[in-house]
């Protein structure tokens, strides 16, 4: 499968907060007139590092946007990666990827 990173996004969140994240693939990866597959199962939402403690839930695809909630996380001065990979309808063999690099903070880091 062919992949291309559409964007890297740096975010911060508190370990006890939920982060709602939306990505518009038509603005960054899809060609004009192309669409995302409407099936959530065709897309990947994953915390890359198992030690991150991040949980991804409520994944959805609406039009050409993907949505998810990110919660939890082990506080760290370094960034944890979350990967969202999307498949377009016309480009089944090519996958677009956005990586979220998340710094998780606790009460002492704020």
């Amino acid at each position: 499968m062919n992949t291309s990173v559409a964007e890297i996004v740096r975010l911060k969140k508190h370990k006890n907060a939920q982060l709602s994240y939306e990505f518009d693939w038509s603005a960054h990866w899809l060609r004009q007139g192309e669409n995302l597959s409407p099936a959530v199962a065709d897309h990947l939402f994953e915390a890359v590092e198992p030690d991150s403690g991040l949980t991804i839930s409520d994944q959805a695809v609406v039009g050409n946007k993907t949505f998810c909630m990110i919660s939890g996380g082990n506080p760290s001065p370094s960034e944890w990666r979350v990967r969202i990979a999307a498949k377009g309808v016309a480009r089944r063999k090519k996958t677009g990827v956005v990586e979220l690099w998340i710094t998780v903070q606790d009460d002492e880091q704020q």
Side-chain angles (χ1 to χ4, degrees):
M1 181 183 314
N2 222 352
T3 61
S4 63
V5 175
E7 192 164 328
I8 294 173
V9 179
R10 287 186 158 81
L11 303 168
K12 291 183 181 182
K13 70 174 282 317
H14 187 274
K15 66 179 181 175
N16 298 328
Q18 277 198 327
L19 174 67
S20 174
Y21 188 75
E22 165 188 325
F23 191 78
D24 184 350
W25 294 91
S26 61
H28 300 278
W29 180 70
L30 292 171
R31 293 182 190 149
Q32 187 171 355
E34 289 183 330
N35 295 302
L36 287 183
S37 168
V40 172
D42 284 346
H43 309 283
L44 174 70
F45 298 81
E46 70 174 351
V48 176
E49 295 93 359
D51 295 338
S52 71
L54 293 169
T55 303
I56 302 164
S57 62
D58 300 332
Q59 299 98 331
V61 179
V62 178
N64 288 327
K65 296 180 181 181
T66 53
F67 300 86
C68 66
M69 295 294 287
I70 302 167
S71 58
N74 295 319
S76 173
S78 61
E79 297 166 310
W80 300 111
R81 291 182 303 141
V82 168
R83 182 177 298 134
I84 302 171
K87 287 187 181 179
V89 173
R91 297 191 197 186
R92 287 266 179 218
K93 293 189 181 345
K94 189 168 183 184
T95 303
V97 177
V98 62
E99 283 194 358
L100 310 179
W101 292 9
I102 301 173
T103 302
V104 178
Q105 301 174 321
D106 62 13
D107 295 332
E108 296 173 8
Q109 293 172 307
Q110 295 204 349

